[in-house]
Amino acid sequence: GWLRGLTGALGATLREWMGWQDVDPFEFMSAAQRADVIAGTSTLDVSAAWQACITAAAGKPIRMRAGVHRIDAALTYTTSGESASLKIKGDGVGKSVFDSRVANDFLLKLDGTGTPSTYALGVELSGFSITTTTSPVVSGGILIKGQWLGSIKKTKIKSITGDGIKVVNDSSDADASGFLTIEKNWIQGCGGWGINIPDPATSSNASGHIAIK
């Protein structure tokens, strides 16, 4: 068994204890990919490892280790029903870095409307940077759709060629987002909008209760 040195802690198997921890993309990377991230050389694409991690986590917290994570393909998380949304916590702005090589898309795409008019709950994104070393065309940072009761805070999105953060609302209430906080983010030098919350395409009802601080 496994026992933490904490007053009142009870024993558990190592398998149980590991299951309670944050999910780590390093679990899905090869030794060469892990070394590349840590060294910050950005020579190996780790998109597939990150996508596998996001899918496996299924709303559990993901720890983003310090280093440069090269992403060549958009990372997506689509949910149906009232499901737990994506949670990524980096080791700090400027320490945990996504190097985006994604053209004509967003690096992170969150869609909580796999079932229309139901939403993903509790998105939490914090403590990392999104930048680029290659300037792919129309390369966005974070795309939000059908997300409720969540936050994006203490991130840095700099010098990408598209929007930094975009909240999409194409189908009125069916894919709206609400009660989100976008707080203490450094967004600079984007080719599109820093934060883009356009009017919905099909109705005057839009995403609401979004606080930008």
Side-chain angles (χ1 to χ4, degrees):
W2 177 270
L3 181 63
R4 279 186 185 269
L6 300 173
T7 301
L10 301 179
T13 66
L14 183 57
R15 180 183 293 273
E16 288 172 329
W17 186 80
M18 290 297 292
W20 300 332
Q21 308 310 301
D22 294 351
V23 185
D24 192 327
F26 271 28
E27 299 177 63
F28 301 85
M29 294 182 194
S30 67
Q33 287 175 317
R34 294 194 295 269
D36 186 67
V37 169
I38 293 168
T41 47
S42 200
T43 57
L44 298 179
D45 175 28
V46 294
S47 305
W50 260 96
Q51 187 61 64
C53 178
I54 289 169
T55 301
K60 288 186 64 176
I62 295 172
R63 182 215 174 163
M64 182 180 181
R65 292 179 181 267
V68 179
H69 302 243
R70 173 177 162 176
I71 303 297
D72 288 14
L75 304 176
T76 63
Y77 187 54
T78 300
T79 55
S80 299
E82 291 189 355
S83 303
S85 189
L86 183 64
K87 300 175 182 66
I88 299 175
K89 184 175 182 180
D91 284 348
V93 171
K95 294 183 178 180
S96 300
V97 179
F98 284 116
D99 175 11
S100 179
R101 310 291 181 92
V102 181
N104 299 304
D105 212 339
F106 284 77
L107 179 118
L108 286 173
K109 299 172 66 176
L110 283 64
D111 184 354
T113 61
T115 302
S117 299
T118 63
Y119 313 102
L121 305 176
V123 57
E124 296 178 6
L125 305 176
S126 68
F128 60 82
S129 301
I130 299 175
T131 187
T132 181
T133 56
T134 58
S135 299
V137 296
V138 197
S139 180
I142 301 169
L143 184 72
I144 296 290
K145 182 178 181 181
Q147 304 292 317
W148 284 68
L149 303 169
S151 66
I152 303 172
K153 62 182 181 180
K154 296 182 179 179
T155 69
K156 178 182 179 182
I157 304 174
K158 187 176 181 182
S159 300
I160 59 176
T161 57
D163 293 338
I165 299 171
K166 185 174 183 179
V167 181
V168 174
N169 187 194
D170 292 330
S171 303
S172 186
D173 291 342
D175 64 357
S177 296
F179 298 98
L180 298 178
T181 300
I182 302 174
E183 179 180 10
K184 297 179 180 177
N185 297 282
W186 178 359
I187 305 175
Q188 179 183 354
C190 296
W193 292 89
I195 299 174
N196 186 6
I197 308 177
D199 290 334
T202 61
S203 170
S204 60
N205 293 328
S207 298
H209 301 284
I210 298 175
I212 301 174
K213 303 179 181 181

